[in-house]
Amino acid sequence: MNKQLLLRLQKQTRARLDGLKKRATDDSISADDLKTIQDQVNQEVANLQDISSQLADLDGGGAPDDSNDSGTDDSTRGGEDNTDDTSDDDNGTNESGNEPKNDNKRGVNPVDPDQRQKVLQSIARSKAIQVTHDEADSDEQIRSAFANAVLGRADGKQLRSLGVDSGKGSITIPKVVSKDIITYTEEQNLLRKYGTVVQTSNTQGYPVLVKKMEANQHKKERADNDPIPETDIAFDEVLLAPSEFDAIATFSQKLVAMSSVNVPKVVTDELTKAYSRKESVYMFNGTADKPEDTNPGALATKAVPFYESKKVDVTVDGFAQNLYTQLVHLKNKIVTALLTGSIWIVNRPALTILESMTDTTGRPLLHEAVDGIGYTLLGYRVDLTDNATGATADSPVFYFGNFKAFYIQDVQGSMAVQPLYELYALTNRVGMKIYNIVDGQLIYSPYEPAVYKYEPGVADPKA
């Protein structure tokens, strides 16, 4: 169907819904009238959904453009809309008339207030159907304006109108772009995917309380001289300390000049990859460019080491059964309260070993997950990361536990980007420095370790 005709039908349907809303709020209508209005509202909402679906299928479908509602065509549509509205009013008069009004005054067949509210809510919900395409278009405009701002070719007025904040040499990353970056980072940084993310509005440390307590127990009934003693409950307060977090991404001027390239996507992709790599390494391994910037709460640092009861050498034939036994012991280290929600996170060498292992009956050790996505090991889901590193690049590493104990603090609105034009100008490149304030630490009670780390062949240094 023609797009202009669809937009016209959409406009007329909205007008009819407005007319039905007026009729529904009229105190003179009866319950029978309200039921008729409800049926009409349901039909109009269904029509509006159908029109919106057809607009979505059309290339560039969306909200009507004011430039198309002018001249003779506008007056024609205005006449049609007025006719529809008038017919609605006429229908309301014919359906309700004076009889229902008089009936209501006599208390016959009164309107149920709850039913009236349901009708009005149905009409209100229909408005969400009308703005879906507008929001999508707006998001694309914001992405485009942000990319142009980074490349130094954006109009300040346009940026302000779209809510893109730029000043003092940096550009605050809009929420829609920030969401794209974090979504990708969740896929690369499994600690964001499985951990606990806390959103704060400032840079103050977020407290995570680790409870340590003692309870009392006795067999005899308490007497007057035997009151319940006070139980000391101590809390170890571990403060997440959000700090400045940055990364630099560059791409060539030649790439920007290509007319076939989607510049907003290139900018977002480069920012996303640079940020994701930096954050993942920081949270998994705690390493940083300077010793004072290392993360003491990184997964590799805070996960409790698991040492073998019998040495496993994965380079020797017949290691599989011994390794399987050690993995069973590792799984059973987690307390029952934390087992629900526990998963395995392994690196690529560990996954390679698991995929080649079989049990004593010759069946693969890894099983396909119930939902068909990925594997399970000993009944718990397995996920893969390249960020878990061991003593060498080929060292297998197994993490097991409940990763909800890994807390990440994000400071809302802190993600920004600073264009670096001059720094890379001599090499015909555009540089961008992304900046964020974030922290991530593994925090658990010393009585209930949440995550264990196992590296086959590594002996206990205290043994």
Side-chain angles (χ1 to χ4, degrees):
M1 188 179 292
N2 182 274
K3 179 184 174 184
Q4 291 301 322
L5 178 58
L6 286 171
L7 293 175
R8 224 153 131 201
L9 291 173
Q10 186 184 61
K11 186 175 180 180
Q12 293 170 5
T13 305
R14 295 174 187 173
R16 285 194 291 272
L17 282 168
D18 288 339
L20 289 169
K21 181 179 179 180
K22 291 178 182 178
R23 289 172 54 195
T25 55
D26 188 350
D27 292 334
S28 66
I29 63 173
S30 67
D32 292 337
D33 293 331
L34 189 63
K35 186 178 183 306
T36 302
I37 293 173
Q38 174 71 79
D39 294 339
Q40 291 177 351
V41 167
N42 292 340
Q43 183 60 47
E44 295 298 346
V45 169
N47 292 340
L48 192 58
Q49 289 174 331
D50 181 57
I51 293 170
S52 296
S53 297
Q54 293 184 59
L55 281 171
D57 292 337
L58 292 175
D59 184 24
D65 190 345
D66 292 338
S67 61
N68 294 327
D69 296 337
S70 58
T72 306
D73 190 42
D74 182 69
S75 61
T76 304
R77 286 199 296 272
E80 292 173 359
D81 290 343
N82 291 335
T83 303
D84 290 332
D85 292 341
T86 303
S87 63
D88 284 338
D89 292 336
D90 290 340
N91 290 337
T93 303
N94 293 334
E95 290 172 5
S96 56
N98 294 326
E99 293 302 321
K101 183 175 181 180
N102 293 335
D103 286 344
N104 269 345
K105 286 182 178 180
R106 294 192 299 266
V108 178
N109 202 11
V111 172
D112 182 358
D114 291 338
Q115 189 63 30
R116 189 199 301 269
Q117 187 63 25
K118 288 181 181 178
V119 174
L120 296 177
Q121 287 175 350
S122 297
I123 297 173
R125 282 194 296 269
S126 71
K127 294 184 180 300
I129 302 172
Q130 304 169 11
V131 300
T132 302
H133 306 297
D134 295 345
E135 290 176 351
D137 292 343
S138 176
D139 288 350
E140 287 305 315
Q141 288 178 353
I142 291 173
R143 288 188 180 98
S144 179
F146 169 71
N148 287 329
V150 171
L151 298 174
R153 59 189 192 192
D155 177 70
K157 184 177 180 181
Q158 181 194 21
L159 292 178
R160 289 190 294 273
S161 67
L162 293 172
V164 179
D165 183 19
S166 62
K168 297 182 180 179
S170 66
I171 304 164
T172 300
I173 297 180
K175 185 177 292 186
V176 61
V177 179
S178 176
K179 184 178 179 182
D180 294 340
I181 294 174
I182 295 301
T183 300
Y184 176 86
T185 304
E186 283 181 355
E187 297 174 1
Q188 304 302 313
N189 181 4
L190 296 182
L191 297 176
R192 271 196 178 273
K193 182 177 180 180
Y194 297 113
T196 301
V197 179
V198 180
Q199 301 280 350
T200 62
S201 58
N202 53 50
T203 58
Q204 292 180 347
Y206 180 83
V208 178
L209 303 181
V210 180
K211 183 168 61 176
K212 296 189 294 187
M213 61 184 298
E214 293 181 0
N216 303 300
Q217 182 270 336
H218 59 94
K219 291 185 177 180
K220 297 181 180 180
E221 293 184 1
R222 292 193 181 275
D224 293 339
N225 59 351
D226 184 23
I228 300 174
E230 294 183 5
T231 301
D232 293 331
I233 301 177
F235 290 90
D236 283 347
E237 186 182 81
V238 181
L239 283 175
L240 293 178
S243 57
E244 297 181 1
F245 206 84
D246 49 42
I248 291 180
T250 62
F251 52 90
S252 66
Q253 289 279 9
K254 182 180 179 181
L255 186 65
V256 178
M258 294 180 180
S259 59
S260 60
V261 173
N262 184 341
V263 175
K265 189 175 186 306
V266 171
V267 172
T268 303
D269 286 351
E270 288 301 313
L271 287 172
T272 299
K273 291 174 185 176
Y275 178 79
S276 178
R277 284 192 298 267
K278 204 80 170 179
E279 183 188 271
S280 299
V281 170
Y282 179 77
M283 292 185 183
F284 264 91
N285 303 311
T287 55
D289 298 332
K290 299 177 181 179
E292 61 268 23
D293 293 333
T294 56
N295 182 7
L299 183 65
T301 305
K302 287 294 293 292
V304 179
F306 171 82
Y307 297 111
E308 303 155 342
S309 56
K310 182 180 178 181
K311 184 175 174 60
V312 175
D313 187 351
V314 296
T315 63
V316 177
D317 291 340
F319 73 90
Q321 187 57 45
N322 188 13
L323 177 59
Y324 178 83
T325 302
Q326 301 305 320
L327 292 175
V328 171
H329 291 166
L330 169 59
K331 174 186 74 79
N332 291 330
K333 283 284 187 179
I334 299 294
V335 297
T336 305
L338 295 176
L339 269 177
T340 302
S342 290
I343 64 166
W344 297 89
I345 291 182
V346 303
N347 64 357
R348 200 166 296 277
L351 182 64
T352 302
I353 290 172
L354 290 174
E355 288 178 328
S356 63
M357 288 175 59
T358 57
D359 60 18
T360 54
T361 63
R363 294 178 302 180
L365 186 61
L366 287 178
H367 299 280
E368 184 176 309
V370 176
D371 57 9
I373 302 174
Y375 295 118
T376 61
L377 172 63
L378 301 175
Y380 295 89
R381 183 178 291 277
V382 178
D383 213 331
L384 172 69
T385 181
D386 290 324
N387 296 309
T389 57
T392 66
D394 297 328
S395 298
V397 177
F398 299 83
Y399 286 103
F400 181 73
N402 194 318
F403 291 87
K404 284 291 183 184
F406 196 95
Y407 289 84
I408 298 173
Q409 180 180 357
D410 277 331
V411 178
Q412 296 175 330
S414 64
M415 190 175 286
V417 63
Q418 180 180 0
L420 304 172
Y421 306 122
E422 293 81 2
L423 187 60
Y424 295 95
L426 294 178
T427 56
N428 293 324
R429 300 183 68 79
V430 175
M432 298 175 295
K433 183 180 76 173
I434 187 172
Y435 171 92
N436 195 21
I437 301 178
V438 68
D439 189 28
Q441 295 188 40
L442 179 63
I443 302 172
Y444 52 82
S445 165
Y447 302 107
E448 296 180 346
V451 180
Y452 282 83
K453 176 185 179 180
Y454 172 42
E455 194 173 342
V458 175
D460 185 351
K462 298 178 182 179

